[in-house]
Amino acid sequence: MSQFSRLVDSLVDDRGEVQVDLRFSLSENNRVVLEGHVEAELSMICQRCLDVARLPVRADLHLMGVLTDEQAKALPEDFEPLMYGDEPVELLPILEEELILALPLVAYHPPEDCSAQQYFTTESEEEAQAAAIEADEERKNSNPFSVLAKLKTDTTTQES
């Protein structure tokens, strides 16, 4: 982890390991293809309780080598361009960039692990669970198009 200096600037510490699984191949038109993933468990500050949260972060890679911007624009939808030229391509900066892009915008513990959620709430545990079940049921039963159906019925009754 300590080799990823830009990533470490967003973290609590540089402890831990980055796990990488990469596959290199050639496409049908003889372009270099790099696919795989990079993942790590990163220490960030939970924005609810301000304690250290260990968060799993994973980034999938689907890159295809290109020499020009025109080639990059013509890539299949599944691939991102990997620009290369005369210099060798260094993997470490690419992997670091992918992990940085995969960081959560705001770091949080899962609610059940967060001390702020446990100690600083006005609801009892039973009330919180009941509210969560009710919100989940409401979300399952709600139909975003039900408003349109109501509008349709309103206009139909007005015309008659």
Side-chain angles (χ1 to χ4, degrees):
M1 183 68 72
S2 60
Q3 296 178 1
F4 295 99
S5 59
R6 289 181 34 231
L7 175 63
V8 169
D9 289 343
S10 302
L11 306 177
V12 173
D13 58 42
D14 65 352
R15 290 182 292 159
E17 295 181 1
V18 176
Q19 297 165 355
V20 179
D21 178 25
L22 299 176
R23 293 171 301 285
F24 296 87
S25 61
L26 288 176
S27 69
E28 294 172 358
N29 54 358
N30 289 326
R31 289 201 183 143
V32 174
V33 174
L34 168 60
E35 293 183 291
H37 67 270
V38 57
E39 60 187 318
E41 190 170 288
L42 306 176
S43 297
M44 300 181 76
I45 297 294
C46 173
Q47 297 302 303
R48 284 189 190 111
C49 66
L50 301 180
D51 284 336
V52 175
R54 298 283 297 165
L55 303 173
V57 175
R58 177 186 168 119
D60 293 319
L61 294 107
H62 301 280
L63 306 172
M64 187 177 286
V66 295
L67 295 170
T68 65
D69 288 336
E70 290 78 29
Q71 287 178 342
K73 290 176 186 173
L75 283 180
E77 211 174 276
D78 300 344
F79 290 96
E80 294 290 323
L82 173 62
M83 297 292 281
Y84 58 85
D86 296 334
E87 298 295 318
V89 174
E90 290 188 40
L91 287 178
L92 198 62
I94 294 170
L95 299 175
E96 181 178 30
E97 187 70 29
E98 292 296 328
L99 278 175
I100 289 171
L101 291 171
L103 286 176
L105 291 176
V106 181
Y108 293 118
H109 284 111
E112 62 274 4
D113 296 338
C114 190
S115 62
Q117 189 75 15
Q118 295 170 2
Y119 300 115
F120 303 108
T121 183
T122 58
E123 298 177 322
S124 69
E125 187 172 329
E126 294 81 22
E127 291 173 328
Q129 287 177 346
I133 291 170
E134 184 180 327
D136 191 42
E137 287 297 320
E138 185 177 315
R139 182 183 51 77
K140 286 180 186 176
N141 294 332
S142 71
N143 180 350
F145 299 106
S146 61
V147 173
L148 296 175
K150 183 180 181 311
L151 289 174
K152 182 177 179 183
T153 344
D154 288 347
T155 57
T156 312
T157 56
Q158 289 175 0
E159 291 174 6
S160 335

